[in-house]
Structures are given as structure tokens and as C-alpha cells.
Amino acid sequence: MSNRLESEKSPYLLQHKDNPVNWYPWGEEAFQKAQEEDKPVFLSIGYSTCHWCHVMAHESFENPEIARLLEDYVCIKVDREEHPDIDAVYMTVCQSLNGSGGWPLTIFLTPEQKPFFAGTYFPRIGRYGQPGLTELLVQISMLWHTQREKLLESGERITAALQQNYDADAGDLDTALLVQGVRLLQQIFDRAWGGFGQAPKFPTPHNLLFLMRFYQATHTLETMQITETTLLAMAAGGIFDHIGGGFSRYSTDAAWLVPHFEKMLYDNALLINAYLEAFQLTGKHCYADTARRTIDYILSELTDDDGGFYCGQDADSDGVEGKYYVFRPDEIIHVLGAEDGAAFCRLYDITENGNFEGQSIPNLIGKEEGWAADDPRLKKLYEYRKKRTALHLDNKILLSWNAWTIVSLARAGMILGDNRYRDAAVKAQQFIRRKMTDAGDRLYLRYCDGEAAHPGQLDDYASYTLALTALYRATFDIAYLKEAVFRARQMMELYADGEANGYYMTAHDAGRLIMRPKETYDGATPSGNSAAEMALEQLASLTGEQFFREAADRQHRFMAGQVKASPASHCFALSAMAKALYPHRELIITGNRVPDEITAYLEEHPAHDLSILFKSAENEKILSELAPFSASYPVSRDTVWYLCENGACRAPVTEFDALRL
């Protein structure tokens, strides 16, 4: 029989609807039942493409004996991607109690949502010193009935510890923070294989974007060397899908050879941006090819017909991790023929012994040749692989992940000169306007199977504001700038902490948790506070409005206080600070149409130090409302260029070359 997850939309929750466990979704009904029946709560948090979530589900949640033991609890399943606020609260608990976290996340709670025990994956039966879920359920049930005071005291103590004072002394905005961040990244950089720290290794593209921004401002060559070593190693390794494009979530080894095979939208979106930036700075086409193949993967595998982008694809096929991606030499030869097949195997390391559990992950590690994005052999193998087995698709559409994808696609359209990418970004933004915005013009967090649900959180508003400013830069359509201003003001109204500064993760009218999280650490994606910092700084530069300048300065000071203990863990915030600290230029263009010269300039230069407004007879009224300073710039038939730099404005010119950008 199906449990209470049967009517949910989340692919992760639906994976558990036929468990013998009587799962509830997160909500008042479950906690009321726990109070009425005087039971503790068993909370399990995961996501649909999580390998170890599948393992724990098969071992335990499909097991009738475990289901019987769980009758002593009220059981709640949460998709972390639908409820990042709930995940943030209880992941903080797990990390503080155990020194680490991950998914599946396993938490035991009181009926008042207060946690008293936390962990991640538990095997059904204990082994190698690790407790099993069977023993754990029996023991905690016994303690609940015999020593409940100790559990309640633990819950109170943990909950009290969560009430952090986020008003860590506001910091001073200083380039010393950026330098310290670079030095820390240099210390943990893997000089042999790129990336940071030891295996498992995550791509962390916002670290690389910060290093490239620092290089542009200071010409520190080592920061670019670190970035290039990492980008080249990842693109050559098995973490990149050489057959179908796109990156897996992380590598289990130092050389980027063996990935954890799940592919996520947010990783690929942010990595596109990093490879585009490297292409602009170096002119090396391998970076452009990697970005293009990653975009094409998203457009072919993760794109809804209406324009939104799905969350990702599973690591497992037919219950086997990585089965979809690995090959044997005889398969390659069967598809490509003897000569082409043998050559392909030599190039991509497909051997009889294999490099992963007796089979081979295609890779170009140590190869100077390769990198041919248009190799027809890749297309043949891609079509063969799709017929050989299938991957589970998580078809949720998350607003914040879509926003990061829009940012990258808008840039890609400019830099790679491919209107398909810009058009996909525009279509995704239109999807959000149509499908993920309520009658009161507030944003939804998730769309799935015809239903938008869950109020948007800080990450959604901040990243969507950045997506709108990226679309404005790519198109100079004033409608995007207008909505960016509107969303930023909404963000400030709904999420700002008026007492301690910074922004809460949830809105002031959201359902209450045991704490109101305020995240600043840049994890898999930039934190909502880092994204808000960048969005406010961009709008302050674009609009010239004192309202946004003061808001950006407050956020810079707040983040400086948060960042100083660990700058390398806040690299997107450091990039936002770099925008404020390093020299900046404002360019106003007036005329009948956007001149080709600025389009060509942005194709070749990152130009993060340059804010650009385009004013025409058609948009001057709206632009004057959004950026009042622009009202004094007259519009004529001819194109006129106005450049200001470091608070001083040059004389207007009518020829682009006279600007000397």
C-alpha cells in the first residue's frame, strides 16, 4: 500500500511512496500526530539522485522489519532540494555533533522539532564499528520510554546552541581579505592534479571564478595557473562525460578519474561560467569546447519543453552505480568498427582491465590530443549508450538552480556567439515568470508535474536577480533591469535582518522552524547572502541609486565579518567584494540601437569592472526611473558613448575606438 507520499510531486518522495514505512511529508499533520501519540520523530532527508540514499532505502526502508520498528516513531521524508531551509537547520545539527554531514541525513526529533540525535547513512545491521539502523531504532525507542528526560535535555541543549548570533562584528571591506582568500586556496591547491584539498574532490567553480577575478585585477599569474591546472584536469578526467557532455558532481580520487556519477544542474551551470571566463582570458578553444558541450548536455538532457531546467540525473542504472557511463573495448569496437574502435580505445583509456570495477571510464588524462567536440565517434557512442540503459531523471525545476543556469547561458550566448544559448536563457526566464510566480508576484521555489510549490527563499530571489542582470547585459532589454530592481527590493523586504544585518534564508512570514537559518558559507552553490551581496553591488553600479549603494555597503560589511574567519570558504562573497574594491567604470550608450561594437567587446572581454546602460528613445522613461542619473544623457540618432572611471567622467565620444576600453 502507498503511504502519505503518494500525492507528492517530488521524485525523491515518490521513490518512497511504496515503502512499508508510513512516511509523512514535512508538515503540521506529522508533528501533531507525534504529540498526540507521544512518539519521537524519525526524520530522513535526501534527494532523488543520491546514491547512498538509494542504498539506505533498499537496505532499510524497503525492509518489513525496519518498517515494524519505525512504528514506534512518526516518520518524515524530506527532499532537501525542495526544503533547503529544513536541510540547512538539521545539517548544521549533524555537523556540529559529528564534525561532518552528508546525505542521507538521519535525525531523531522531539514532537517540537528539537533534535537529540543525528547521523547520515546507517546500514541496516551494524558493521565495522558503525551502529546499524536496527539497533539504533530499538535503543532510542527504549530511551524515549525509560530515560526521556536525557533526550529532551539533549534536544534543548542542541537547539539552544543553534541560536547563533549572526551579528559577528561587522568587518572592514579591505583587499587584505581577498589576498588572504587567495593564500588559503594556494595552500590547499593540489599542484599535481588541480582542485583543492584531498579526495573526494569537488569542482567548486566559484573558487575558480574568484581566482580569475583576482588575476584580472592584480595580474597575479599563480592564480591563473591554479585555475587552468584545475579546469584542464577536470575536462580531461572521468568527471567530465566525454561521450555526452557535462560534469558529474565530484571525483572520488585525486586525478578526477572516477566520479560519483550523478549529474546535477547547478554544478554544470556554474562550471559553464568558469570555462567561459577562462576562454575569454586565454583564448584557448578547449575551454570554449568544454563549455559548449556542457551547455548542449543541459539543453538535450535536462530541459523541459516549456523552457525550465531539471535538477539532474542519477548515478545508478539498473541498480548499478556508473553502469550507464562505463565501457568495455568490445562494445566500442562493435559500435565504431575495428579500426576506429581501437583508435578510440587508445585515446580514451578503454582497456581490457578497465579503470573502474573491471570496466573503463572514458578519459583523456595525460593526453595532448583529443578535445574534439565534433568527433563523430562521440555522437555514435552517445546514441548507442542511450539505448543500452537508462538514467533516472529528477524532473523537478528549482528556481535558484535555473537562475544560475540562466546566468551562464546568457553569457554563453555573448561569448560563444550562439543565439541558441541566449534564447534558452530567455525562455527559462519566461518559464519562471509564467509558472513559478504567484498571484502576488512572489516566487515559488519548485515546479514539478504541473505544480509550483513552496515559497521562494533567499537563494531564489538573490540568484534570480543575478539572472536578470545577466540577461540585461546580454540583451540590453530594459524589462530585465526593471524586474531585477523589483526582485532585489522584494528580497530586502522579505529576508533582511534589520537588527544584525545580512539576510535570513526564509521570509519573515514563512513557516517557523526551531531556528531561522542565515547561511553565509559558499557550499555547492554560492550562499544566498553571497549572491545577495553580488546582486546589490551590481544594481548599485547600474542604477547609481543611493538606496542600493547603502544596501550593498551594509551587506559588504556584514559579509566581511562572516568571511574573515575562513575567506577561502566564501569565494563568491570575495568576488562581490572585489567588484566593490577594485577600480570600476560606468559606460552609458545612447542611440537608436545597441551598437555592434559593444557586443563584440563583451564577446572578448569579461569586463567585470564595467557597468553598461543603453539608453534609447524607447526606453528612456523607464531607464530614468530605474537609474535617475541617466535622465541627463540626451538621446539622438547617432550613437554617443559616455565613460566614467573611478568617479571621474570623460568627455562623450561618437566613436567606440576613442573610448580606449
Side-chain angles (χ1 to χ4, degrees):
M1 291 179 61
S2 296
N3 51 42
R4 285 169 172 78
L5 303 183
E6 185 178 25
S7 60
E8 294 296 310
K9 299 293 186 181
S10 158
Y12 178 62
L13 298 190
L14 291 175
Q15 286 172 348
H16 294 269
K17 70 180 178 63
D18 295 320
N19 290 168
V21 177
N22 187 24
W23 292 114
Y24 283 74
W26 180 276
E28 184 61 33
E29 182 185 5
F31 289 103
Q32 185 174 341
K33 179 180 174 66
Q35 290 177 335
E36 290 173 353
E37 299 186 3
D38 192 29
K39 290 180 177 179
V41 173
F42 176 82
L43 172 64
S44 178
I45 302 176
Y47 57 101
S48 78
T49 58
C50 168
H51 171 70
W52 285 102
C53 298
H54 298 328
V55 172
M56 191 166 177
H58 295 320
E59 285 182 350
S60 296
F61 302 140
E62 296 172 4
N63 182 278
E65 177 61 20
I66 291 291
R68 189 189 66 76
L69 294 174
L70 283 169
E71 290 175 2
D72 290 342
Y73 302 81
V74 173
C75 301
I76 298 177
K77 259 289 174 194
V78 168
D79 183 338
R80 66 171 291 262
E81 295 166 356
E82 284 198 336
H83 293 286
D85 52 339
I86 297 169
D87 181 61
V89 169
Y90 293 108
M91 184 59 73
T92 301
V93 171
C94 185
Q95 290 172 332
S96 63
L97 292 180
N98 303 306
S100 63
W103 299 277
L105 182 59
T106 304
I107 309 286
F108 290 83
L109 312 174
T110 70
E112 294 74 36
Q113 302 183 17
K114 296 177 180 179
F116 55 83
F117 185 88
T120 53
Y121 162 78
F122 291 98
R124 187 171 63 86
I125 303 295
R127 58 175 181 260
Y128 311 130
Q130 182 182 17
L133 187 61
T134 301
E135 300 95 322
L136 200 59
L137 292 173
V138 171
Q139 184 178 14
I140 289 178
S141 179
M142 181 185 68
L143 290 173
W144 182 257
H145 292 291
T146 61
Q147 300 183 46
R148 187 178 306 185
E149 297 77 13
K150 289 185 177 180
L151 298 183
L152 296 179
E153 286 173 11
S154 178
E156 293 292 341
R157 188 170 60 252
I158 293 168
T159 302
L162 289 175
Q163 311 301 326
Q164 301 175 39
N165 178 11
Y166 287 102
D167 191 19
D169 305 318
D172 295 323
L173 195 59
D174 194 295
T175 54
L177 278 175
L178 311 187
V179 172
Q180 187 182 358
V182 169
R183 286 176 178 165
L184 290 170
L185 290 174
Q186 289 171 329
Q187 289 172 14
I188 61 174
F189 172 60
D190 181 346
R191 298 188 180 277
W193 295 108
F196 305 98
Q198 304 300 311
K201 290 165 77 171
F202 291 79
T204 55
H206 32 288
N207 291 8
L208 304 176
L209 288 164
F210 164 62
L211 289 172
M212 286 187 277
R213 182 70 183 93
F214 190 85
Y215 166 75
Q216 291 167 62
T218 66
H219 306 292
T220 305
L221 287 176
E222 188 179 358
T223 57
M224 200 63 202
Q225 291 165 352
I226 289 172
T227 301
E228 286 208 73
T229 298
T230 302
L231 291 173
L232 289 169
M234 288 193 301
I239 192 173
F240 182 69
D241 179 5
H242 293 271
I243 305 298
F247 288 85
S248 295
R249 194 163 74 92
Y250 65 87
S251 174
T252 62
D253 66 312
W256 307 101
L257 171 62
V258 180
H260 190 48
F261 290 92
E262 68 201 54
K263 284 181 176 176
M264 310 300 289
L265 176 66
Y266 63 81
D267 279 324
N268 284 286
L270 291 164
L271 282 164
I272 290 164
N273 210 357
Y275 280 93
L276 289 172
E277 190 95 350
F279 172 58
Q280 283 193 308
L281 291 175
T282 68
K284 295 177 182 177
H285 285 279
C286 60
Y287 298 133
D289 288 344
T290 304
R292 192 176 285 110
R293 296 202 66 210
T294 304
I295 297 169
D296 290 344
Y297 159 70
I298 290 174
L299 296 184
S300 63
E301 304 257 355
L302 298 183
T303 303
D304 181 81
D305 289 342
D306 288 333
F309 303 112
Y310 301 135
C311 281
Q313 291 173 310
D314 208 336
D316 297 4
S317 298
D318 303 327
V320 179
E321 184 183 8
K323 179 179 178 180
Y324 181 81
Y325 295 100
V326 296
F327 288 90
R328 295 187 58 81
D330 56 347
E331 282 186 284
I332 301 293
I333 290 169
H334 171 72
V335 176
L336 299 180
E339 186 175 345
D340 272 357
F344 188 91
C345 288
R346 286 193 299 272
L347 179 59
Y348 283 94
D349 190 28
I350 315 292
T351 65
E352 289 294 342
N353 292 330
N355 53 36
F356 176 72
E357 298 181 356
Q359 300 197 67
S360 295
I361 302 166
N363 69 89
L364 290 170
I365 296 172
K367 303 290 175 60
E368 295 295 329
E369 54 182 322
W371 304 93
D374 57 352
D375 186 340
R377 297 176 301 184
L378 297 174
K379 185 174 183 181
K380 283 184 181 180
L381 287 167
Y382 175 66
E383 295 300 330
Y384 165 76
R385 191 178 70 176
K386 282 170 61 176
K387 296 173 184 174
R388 185 180 63 171
T389 188
L391 292 171
H392 162 72
L393 174 70
D394 186 329
N395 65 342
K396 291 194 313 297
I397 295 170
L398 297 178
L399 197 148
S400 63
W401 295 10
N402 273 247
W404 291 116
T405 309
I406 291 169
V407 170
S408 290
L409 292 181
R411 289 198 70 204
M414 286 191 298
I415 295 167
L416 302 178
D418 193 329
N419 289 338
R420 291 184 306 130
Y421 302 154
R422 183 200 61 196
D423 293 346
V426 168
K427 190 174 180 181
Q429 188 273 334
Q430 292 171 344
F431 177 91
I432 292 170
R433 288 291 301 150
R434 291 195 322 273
K435 304 283 191 179
M436 302 187 74
T437 308
D438 69 15
D441 228 356
R442 285 174 65 167
L443 301 173
Y444 286 109
L445 185 149
R446 179 273 279 162
Y447 181 90
C448 188
D449 193 22
E451 177 196 81
H454 311 306
Q457 299 183 7
L458 173 63
D459 304 54
D460 302 299
Y461 283 83
S463 59
Y464 186 48
T465 301
L466 289 172
L468 292 162
T469 59
L471 282 168
Y472 176 71
R473 191 174 178 91
T475 66
F476 294 107
D477 182 338
I478 195 65
Y480 295 124
L481 182 57
K482 181 179 180 180
E483 188 174 358
V485 167
F486 172 71
R487 294 301 176 191
R489 288 180 175 272
Q490 254 190 333
M491 176 186 77
M492 296 170 68
E493 177 185 340
L494 293 170
Y495 302 96
D497 181 347
E499 297 180 3
N501 289 324
Y503 292 86
Y504 289 112
M505 195 172 182
T506 55
H508 60 75
D509 56 356
R512 295 300 176 195
L513 301 172
I514 57 170
M515 64 174 285
R516 195 177 176 193
K518 187 196 286 185
E519 291 195 319
T520 62
Y521 167 80
D522 292 329
T525 58
S527 72
N529 270 284
S530 294
E533 183 180 12
M534 181 68 84
L536 292 170
E537 179 60 37
Q538 286 188 0
L539 289 176
S541 298
L542 282 166
T543 68
E545 281 279 69
Q546 192 64 19
F547 173 81
F548 283 120
R549 173 45 57 206
E550 291 174 356
D553 289 345
R554 284 196 303 273
Q555 187 67 357
H556 285 315
R557 290 193 297 273
F558 168 74
M559 289 301 290
Q562 299 293 317
V563 162
K564 59 188 177 185
S566 180
S569 301
H570 298 80
C571 281
F572 199 77
L574 296 182
S575 292
M577 293 176 191
K579 190 167 180 63
L581 286 166
Y582 291 128
H584 194 270
R585 302 172 294 172
E586 297 83 30
L587 177 64
I588 297 91
I589 309 167
T590 63
N592 287 330
R593 63 179 184 83
V594 177
D596 294 337
E597 292 92 335
I598 196 61
T599 303
Y601 181 81
L602 292 175
E603 181 179 337
E604 297 179 1
H605 301 85
H608 297 303
D609 65 335
L610 185 65
S611 293
I612 308 170
L613 291 177
F614 172 69
K615 183 177 180 180
S616 66
E618 287 75 21
N619 72 24
E620 63 179 332
K621 184 176 185 300
I622 298 175
L623 186 60
S624 295
E625 294 170 357
L626 300 174
F629 79 93
S630 69
S632 60
Y633 292 82
V635 177
S636 64
R637 257 192 271 178
D638 297 326
T639 299
V640 182
W641 309 77
Y642 301 83
L643 182 65
C644 301
E645 189 170 9
N646 300 327
C649 295
R650 300 183 192 172
V653 297
T654 56
E655 297 293 333
F656 175 77
D657 290 343
L659 286 175
R660 300 187 304 279
L661 287 176

